[in-house]
């Protein structure tokens, strides 16, 4: 499987020389750097994440959200991570996110006693779900600030 950095280079989004200083940063930080320093848009980043992590990119409007799950303790924990709890069954927790690299979500996934299935959705859909505003269609405010 290709890494996010390999895919970035394969797609010629930035040069190997430009990427070199960021070889050791987390994917979470790398997405912020790509967006803020190289002006790579959300539209360009999501296919990279989808390919690197093998996560489906599905419009939120086509997902069926279980409102009862959303109000459980677990559903509220997921919403606290600015992710959307879709549903849970006996073996799997289904979550929609715009950034599978956020540390809280990765910790949740590794600590879960169930499989966590992620669906990638765009930031605008996250903002709509939580009734918040995005700063721009082309920015990723949920990704956070990189310390470079």
């Amino acid at each position: 499987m290709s890494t996010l950095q390999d895919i970035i280079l394969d797609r010629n989004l930035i040069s190997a020389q430009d990427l070199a200083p960021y070889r050791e940063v987390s994917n979470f930080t790398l997405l912020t750097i790509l967006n803020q320093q190289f002006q790579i848009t959300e539209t360009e980043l999501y296919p990279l994440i989808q390919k690197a992590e093998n996560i489906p990119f599905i419009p939120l409007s086509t997902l069926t959200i279980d409102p009862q799950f959303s109000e459980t303790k677990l559903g509220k924990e997921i919403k606290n991570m600015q992710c959307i709890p879709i549903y849970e069954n006996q073996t799997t927790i289904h979550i929609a996110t715009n950034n599978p690299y956020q540390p809280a979500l990765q910790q949740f996934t590794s600590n879960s006693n169930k499989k966590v299935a992620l669906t990638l959705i765009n930031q605008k859909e996250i903002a709509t779900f939580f009734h918040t505003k995005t700063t721009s269609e082309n920015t990723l405010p949920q990704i956070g600030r990189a310390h470079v």
Side-chain angles (χ1 to χ4, degrees):
M1 177 181 264
S2 297
T3 68
L4 182 61
Q5 292 189 9
D6 293 336
I7 294 167
I8 290 164
L9 293 174
D10 289 346
R11 300 259 175 108
N12 294 314
L13 289 178
I14 64 174
S15 70
Q17 183 178 353
D18 287 339
L19 185 60
Y22 309 111
R23 279 291 191 186
E24 300 301 317
V25 301
S26 70
N27 286 336
F28 181 81
T29 301
L30 182 59
L31 289 178
T32 303
I33 291 165
L34 292 171
N35 182 247
Q36 294 175 359
Q37 291 185 3
F38 295 98
Q39 287 71 50
I40 297 174
T41 66
E42 179 179 300
T43 305
E44 295 169 300
L45 289 172
Y46 285 140
L48 304 178
I49 298 168
Q50 183 181 9
K51 184 173 181 180
E53 300 302 322
N54 195 29
I55 299 173
F57 185 83
I58 302 173
L60 183 60
S61 62
T62 65
L63 298 173
T64 302
I65 298 172
D66 177 353
Q68 291 177 334
F69 174 55
S70 187
E71 294 307 313
T72 65
K73 181 180 177 185
L74 183 58
K76 290 176 182 178
E77 181 181 349
I78 292 166
K79 288 191 286 189
N80 283 338
M81 295 182 288
Q82 290 297 298
C83 295
I84 301 173
I86 304 299
Y87 70 95
E88 175 185 34
N89 60 31
Q90 291 179 340
T91 60
T92 309
I93 302 166
H94 295 265
I95 300 172
T97 182
N98 75 311
N99 185 355
Y101 302 122
Q102 61 176 299
L105 180 57
Q106 290 190 331
Q107 182 175 0
F108 175 87
T109 300
S110 66
N111 292 340
S112 178
N113 59 357
K114 291 186 177 186
K115 177 184 176 194
V116 176
L118 298 177
T119 298
L120 196 58
I121 61 174
N122 71 41
Q123 172 55 34
K124 198 172 191 180
E125 291 176 311
I126 293 274
T128 299
F129 182 85
F130 288 104
H131 306 292
T132 57
K133 294 182 179 180
T134 57
T135 55
S136 164
E137 281 188 41
N138 293 329
T139 61
L140 300 164
Q142 289 304 116
I143 286 181
R145 299 281 177 212
H147 299 286
V148 247

